[in-house]
Amino acid sequence: MDKELIMKNHLFLILFLTSLFSFGQNEFETLNGDDYSIKYPSTWELNQSGQMGMTFGLFSPVGLYGDQFRENVNLIEQDISSQDLDLAGYIEVSENQIKTLLQASTIIESKREKDYHKIIYAGTMGRFKLKFHRRYWVKDGNAYVLTFTAEIGEYDNYNEIALQIMDSFEFK
């Protein structure tokens, strides 16, 4: 092995171990919505501006892994009371939208979990190749879609902390 490759491997290992340590040291904040709560690392940026229809967005720290895309967890709430959709119907519509709205899309997994439906999929959006983990609920005439989005190459680096955030989501 040449010295440059060894140095890159050592640097990657140091960054990886540092990130693991820093994830373990995160202090968590709690966001309380009207009908839900969620916990997120205090180092992540909270955005509640309503941009792009999001109820909230939680964005990873800038440059955590040196990538150009800020990995995020966001929630979209949609009133579907006039559409007569249950969870199964909403999932069918969502899967069709994934296939038509995202370039080179692939649904990796789609299955019912405890009280939600989970879809993991990937595709291209603009110049980014992204991977998504979505959780869907239909409750009291509203659809709730909680999404973790990451660049495909960074997905595994953020998956553990994203799952901690997503697992903390609960209805009041």
Side-chain angles (χ1 to χ4, degrees):
M1 240 186 230
D2 71 8
K3 287 184 177 184
E4 186 176 334
L5 183 58
I6 292 171
M7 292 298 289
K8 285 181 181 179
N9 287 340
H10 279 87
L11 180 60
F12 174 77
L13 180 61
I14 290 168
L15 289 172
F16 178 73
L17 291 174
T18 302
S19 69
L20 283 178
F21 178 74
S22 66
F23 281 160
Q25 301 300 314
N26 276 326
E27 290 187 31
F28 279 74
E29 306 277 337
T30 300
L31 172 61
N32 285 302
D34 291 337
D35 48 1
Y36 65 85
S37 68
I38 191 166
K39 295 180 181 170
Y40 64 96
S42 59
T43 57
W44 285 46
E45 178 187 331
L46 170 63
N47 181 324
Q48 293 180 282
S49 68
Q51 287 177 290
M52 297 175 17
M54 290 187 302
T55 303
F56 68 79
L58 302 167
F59 295 88
S60 67
V62 176
L64 186 60
Y65 288 101
D67 56 322
Q68 300 294 308
F69 181 86
R70 288 185 72 189
E71 282 64 27
N72 64 84
V73 174
N74 67 71
L75 179 70
I76 294 175
E77 293 179 62
Q78 183 179 14
D79 180 354
I80 59 169
S81 59
S82 65
Q83 297 175 21
D84 193 33
L85 285 174
D86 61 3
L87 182 58
Y90 194 79
I91 294 304
E92 184 178 338
V93 169
S94 295
E95 286 179 346
N96 287 332
Q97 286 179 340
I98 289 167
K99 292 172 187 172
T100 59
L101 297 177
L102 198 60
Q103 295 175 329
S105 64
T106 303
I107 294 178
I108 299 163
E109 181 178 6
S110 179
K111 71 177 191 175
R112 181 70 187 246
E113 293 286 340
K114 303 167 193 165
D115 63 336
Y116 60 87
H117 191 95
K118 171 176 82 172
I119 299 178
I120 297 176
Y121 63 99
T124 302
M125 186 177 290
R127 65 184 177 106
F128 295 108
K129 292 182 179 179
L130 302 173
K131 188 171 179 180
F132 305 82
H133 176 149
R134 277 195 169 168
R135 294 181 181 178
Y136 298 82
W137 294 265
V138 170
K139 184 177 169 141
D140 301 326
N142 290 308
Y144 298 84
V145 183
L146 186 65
T147 306
F148 161 49
T149 307
E151 284 187 281
I152 288 177
E154 299 296 328
Y155 185 88
D156 290 340
N157 292 332
Y158 288 90
N159 192 45
E160 182 179 337
I161 192 69
L163 288 177
Q164 287 178 22
I165 296 167
M166 294 175 84
D167 288 346
S168 77
F169 181 83
E170 58 186 30
F171 290 101
K172 294 180 179 177

